[in-house]
Amino acid sequence: PNRTTQWYRNGKALSTEQIIEISEPDEYSVSVKNLTGCEVTGKYTLVNNKNVFIPDFLMAVQAFVGDTIVVLDISQPKPDETKWVVPSEAYKLEDNVLKLSFILNDIGDYKVKQIAKKGDCNNSKTHAIQIFKREDIDNTDPKLGYKGLIKIQKMDIAPNPNYGTFSVYAELSNVADIELIITRSTTSAVVYQDKASGASSHKFDVQLKNVPQDIYVVTIKSGSYIMTKKILVLN
């Protein structure tokens, strides 16, 4: 009771309030005195942090239903902890401090939020993404390069499971080159490659010799478009 407070900036009187807000880097001090002359003081230095924590991440702004959407942290400095807040409709494939991947199976506008912590500092960043049906490709932003792509309309593999002998059928939206790549899922090693051209539908007759029993990933590429499926090869 009956105390007085005086704030100073570089020795010059600044405020008599008990609580003040300051934003300019400088030397500050405060003096609190009561009626009997008892006085306490404190000194404070406010500096700008050259390594201010600004969370941020990279993510596509548009994608198709069923695409794997990858989010990469580019915060500076790197956060100690990160919480990714995704739409309730999202199916997460990977979730850690520096990377997130997920799938959305419905069209619409969505937001992804990063809540990051570095030491005692907390901050957040939000980015938006639009999800389209593949048949609505003409509605996407032309700067993103989706328009004019060779679309893979269909991909079938038979039989599946198999004993290393099977056929891969692919149908494209128009005549284009196509590439087939088969990799072993557990090692990512390429076990088979082939190419074809001059048609809008293609059939690859595949024989995998001396490969171990495992799950294999069959990938077809045409232009910038990619489609994958998994098969089980038995011994």
Side-chain angles (χ1 to χ4, degrees):
N2 300 316
R3 67 186 178 188
T4 58
T5 301
Q6 180 64 59
W7 286 90
Y8 301 90
R9 178 177 178 179
N10 274 330
K12 296 181 180 180
L14 180 64
S15 173
T16 57
E17 299 294 327
Q18 183 179 355
I19 299 174
I20 65 170
E21 293 185 3
I22 52 178
S23 58
E24 295 296 325
D26 216 332
E27 299 291 333
Y28 296 86
S29 61
V30 62
S31 172
V32 180
K33 185 184 299 184
N34 64 14
L35 293 177
T36 63
C38 181
E39 182 180 11
V40 292
T41 61
K43 294 183 178 180
Y44 308 91
T45 302
L46 182 66
V47 297
N48 280 332
N49 184 352
K50 295 181 179 179
N51 295 317
V52 61
F53 180 51
I54 303 176
D56 200 3
F57 58 92
L58 297 176
M59 182 182 70
V61 296
Q62 291 184 331
F64 291 125
V65 169
D67 279 353
T68 298
I69 302 161
V70 177
V71 175
L72 296 176
D73 172 75
I74 56 171
S75 304
Q76 291 296 331
K78 294 300 180 186
D80 297 326
E81 300 177 23
T82 293
K83 178 183 179 182
W84 300 103
V85 181
V86 299
S88 59
E89 301 90 342
Y91 175 72
K92 288 186 182 180
L93 301 174
E94 183 176 4
D95 185 351
N96 58 54
V97 174
L98 302 179
K99 184 179 179 182
L100 167 73
S101 61
F102 61 94
I103 293 173
L104 286 166
N105 290 315
D106 294 307
I107 62 172
D109 297 332
Y110 299 92
K111 291 184 178 180
V112 175
K113 184 177 184 180
Q114 178 190 29
I115 303 174
K117 182 178 181 180
K118 181 70 174 179
D120 294 328
C121 295
N122 292 273
N123 213 335
S124 65
K125 187 74 173 185
T126 301
H127 287 305
I129 185 170
Q130 291 179 298
I131 303 298
F132 294 86
K133 292 181 180 178
R134 295 190 184 276
E135 54 266 33
D136 294 333
I137 191 170
D138 291 334
N139 295 329
T140 61
D141 187 338
K143 297 189 294 295
L144 298 175
Y146 284 125
K147 293 183 178 179
L149 291 178
I150 303 299
K151 294 192 291 185
I152 301 174
Q153 307 278 34
K154 186 178 181 181
M155 176 185 179
D156 291 323
I157 303 171
N160 184 23
N162 57 70
Y163 291 92
T165 300
F166 57 94
S167 296
V168 179
Y169 305 88
E171 292 184 9
L172 309 180
S173 58
N174 52 355
V175 175
D177 297 341
I178 191 170
E179 182 179 6
L180 170 68
I181 303 171
I182 302 176
T183 56
R184 186 181 177 187
S185 62
T186 53
T187 65
S188 298
V190 176
V191 298
Y192 188 91
Q193 284 183 280
D194 199 0
K195 295 181 179 181
S197 60
S200 60
S201 61
H202 301 272
K203 177 187 176 184
F204 296 92
D205 293 318
V206 180
Q207 286 189 336
L208 301 181
K209 297 180 179 179
N210 302 319
V211 297
Q213 179 170 305
D214 207 342
I215 299 294
Y216 290 81
V217 180
V218 179
T219 303
I220 54 175
K221 296 181 179 181
S222 187
S224 301
Y225 208 91
I226 297 174
M227 186 175 289
T228 63
K229 286 191 175 182
K230 292 183 180 181
I231 60 171
L232 173 61
V233 176
L234 305 170
N235 287 338

